[in-house]
Amino acid sequence: QVQLVESGGGLVQTGGSLRLSCAASGSIFSINAMGWYRQVPGKQRELVASISIGGTENYEDSVKGRFTISRDNVKNTIYLQMNSLKPEDTAVYYCNAEGVAIIPSGWYPEVWGQGTLVTVSS
């Protein structure tokens, strides 16, 4: 079984920073891409940032210049450094892994974490 565990959410003031972590556990051979999504009530889940196995980063327009995604391939862990936080960043942030190959043989097209709540006070 492959599991994603998020951490680092919390309550911060406008302009503050948080660093989210997502660790993928299991007998993992490779993960094609990992990313962070967020969701608020009444809105669809949206991509915040993603990073490919080759290190290519992609960001939603509203977080460009403020958020940075990074990865540790040895630990199968990604991070989201969130700076200059705004109230509109308030959401449950979900970690996602796409194209997970496991040892000795297996494939998970997509795996989701349970989510971590980020609240930015005005």
Side-chain angles (χ1 to χ4, degrees):
Q1 180 180 355
V2 175
Q3 185 177 12
L4 303 180
V5 179
E6 302 110 328
S7 62
L11 173 64
V12 298
Q13 297 180 24
T14 298
S17 298
L18 283 174
R19 185 174 185 251
L20 306 183
S21 299
C22 171
S25 63
S27 299
I28 299 171
F29 178 76
S30 65
I31 301 175
N32 183 55
M34 297 183 71
W36 291 96
Y37 290 71
R38 65 187 179 188
Q39 188 170 28
V40 298
K43 192 177 185 298
Q44 296 297 307
R45 189 173 299 184
E46 66 175 3
L47 175 68
V48 178
S50 65
I51 185 165
S52 72
I53 193 169
T56 301
E57 302 167 28
N58 186 55
Y59 297 93
E60 194 272 328
D61 286 342
S62 69
V63 308
K64 288 181 179 177
R66 299 188 298 120
F67 292 8
T68 303
I69 190 170
S70 61
R71 69 173 185 171
D72 183 334
N73 288 322
V74 175
K75 297 181 179 179
N76 284 317
T77 300
I78 61 167
Y79 307 91
L80 187 67
Q81 180 65 47
M82 304 185 293
N83 299 325
S84 302
L85 283 162
K86 306 173 181 179
E88 48 263 48
D89 294 319
T90 296
V92 176
Y93 284 71
Y94 295 91
C95 182
N96 171 267
E98 179 269 326
V100 183
I102 63 172
I103 301 169
S105 181
W107 181 261
Y108 292 89
E110 190 173 61
V111 181
W112 289 96
Q114 291 295 313
T116 184
L117 177 63
V118 172
T119 303
V120 184
S121 62
S122 60

